[in-house]
Amino acid sequence: MSILKKYFSYLNVIPERTYQSTYNGVLEINWLNGKKILDTKNTNYSYGNLGKVLQKGLKSITSDFRSEETSILILGLGGGDVVKQLRNNFKSHATITAVEIDPVIIEVALKEFDIIPNSKLEIVNNDANVFLKYSKERYNLIIVDLFNDVTIPDFVFQTEFIKSVYNVLHLSGSIIFNTFILSDVHKVRNKKFVENLKRYFSVEEFANLYGHNHLIITKKVK
């Protein structure tokens, strides 16, 4: 990117290129405030405010997710913002498995943001719900960041999914659920979801983060 375009991105969003996704519609690679970001038509997907939300969650975690012996499961890769935060900002040496249903998102993460699989990072093109049902691994931290544009799959809020993440989580492990509240319907949905989570975990909530994000942090204590 030219220095001039980078300068103007502090004044306005500068489009770079687009990708067409079956799951997320048009994916936009833009520049804003001197940074490359990933947007959909309706929201920021990676490297904007969403990254700040996830950083808030990671700062609130008391479980160990930094040592080489630990493992992290990311459900919903996006552009890989959380992977870079884990490695660069939080100095995590954990083994990371990232599950992403959208092959175009994976392509974007690799080509645009240099999220390259290696011995400590596995990227799995699969449905998160299906992956959990067959997983035999256990994780110290799970990050649930499942969006199709501005829609969260209904299964995320179901008891079956809660039991699935509980079963693959180590004792004293934590889960970050990134959700949002845009209407009274969402408010009721999240209230019921939190009540259900409390049957299995200790729960901490952060509402109205950078607008409408509702971050839910859980810890497995039994």
Side-chain angles (χ1 to χ4, degrees):
M1 185 183 190
S2 70
I3 294 176
L4 189 61
K5 286 178 71 176
K6 188 172 183 177
Y7 170 79
F8 279 113
S9 75
Y10 286 94
L11 305 175
N12 204 354
V13 176
I14 306 296
E16 181 81 357
R17 65 181 59 85
T18 61
Y19 293 79
Q20 184 65 47
S21 162
T22 301
Y23 292 95
N24 294 287
V26 177
L27 296 168
E28 303 173 355
I29 305 299
N30 297 316
W31 286 82
L32 180 64
N33 296 327
K35 291 173 55 180
K36 185 190 285 189
I37 62 175
L38 172 61
D39 294 327
T40 65
K41 180 181 178 181
N42 299 299
T43 191
N44 172 250
Y45 235 42
S46 293
Y47 302 97
N49 281 340
L50 179 59
K52 296 177 183 178
V53 170
L54 294 174
Q55 189 173 90
K56 172 68 174 179
L58 289 168
K59 287 181 178 178
S60 304
I61 295 298
T62 57
S63 307
D64 177 23
F65 62 91
R66 294 177 171 86
S67 65
E68 290 188 3
E69 295 76 22
T70 57
S71 57
I72 299 171
L73 176 63
I74 301 172
L75 301 179
L77 174 64
D81 190 354
V82 69
V83 174
K84 288 193 174 182
Q85 288 197 46
L86 285 164
R87 295 300 192 219
N88 300 334
N89 298 342
F90 293 89
K91 309 303 180 186
S92 175
H93 300 283
T95 299
I96 300 174
T97 301
V99 180
E100 174 59 57
I101 194 172
D102 189 345
V104 180
I105 286 284
I106 294 175
E107 178 186 358
V108 168
L110 269 63
K111 288 185 176 180
E112 302 288 348
F113 299 103
D114 299 321
I115 304 299
I116 308 300
N118 54 46
S119 62
K120 300 288 285 185
L121 172 63
E122 180 184 12
I123 298 176
V124 180
N125 183 200
N126 201 350
D127 182 297
N129 206 18
V130 174
F131 176 88
L132 285 173
K133 288 179 180 178
Y134 295 98
S135 176
K136 296 181 180 180
E137 300 296 326
R138 294 294 180 268
Y139 302 93
N140 301 91
L141 171 63
I142 301 173
I143 299 170
V144 182
D145 190 30
L146 293 168
F147 286 82
N148 294 324
D149 194 6
V150 292
T151 301
I152 301 174
D154 289 337
F155 70 75
V156 171
F157 302 98
Q158 303 303 314
T159 299
E160 183 180 2
F161 182 78
I162 294 173
K163 288 181 178 179
S164 292
V165 290
Y166 179 91
N167 288 336
V168 301
L169 188 67
H170 279 297
L171 184 62
S172 298
S174 297
I175 306 175
I176 299 174
F177 291 92
N178 185 27
T179 72
F180 61 84
I181 296 176
L182 297 175
S183 66
D184 288 340
V185 172
H186 293 154
K187 187 179 295 184
V188 172
R189 176 200 68 188
N190 276 33
K191 182 179 180 182
K192 291 180 178 178
F193 183 50
V194 169
E195 289 173 354
N196 202 3
L197 286 170
K198 287 180 178 178
R199 296 168 56 197
Y200 302 88
F201 307 97
S202 63
V203 178
E204 184 178 11
E205 300 177 68
F206 299 94
N208 304 317
L209 287 177
Y210 302 99
H212 303 286
N213 286 87
H214 181 198
L215 203 64
I216 304 167
I217 312 295
T218 72
K219 187 171 184 178
K220 186 174 181 179
V221 293
K222 59 181 180 179

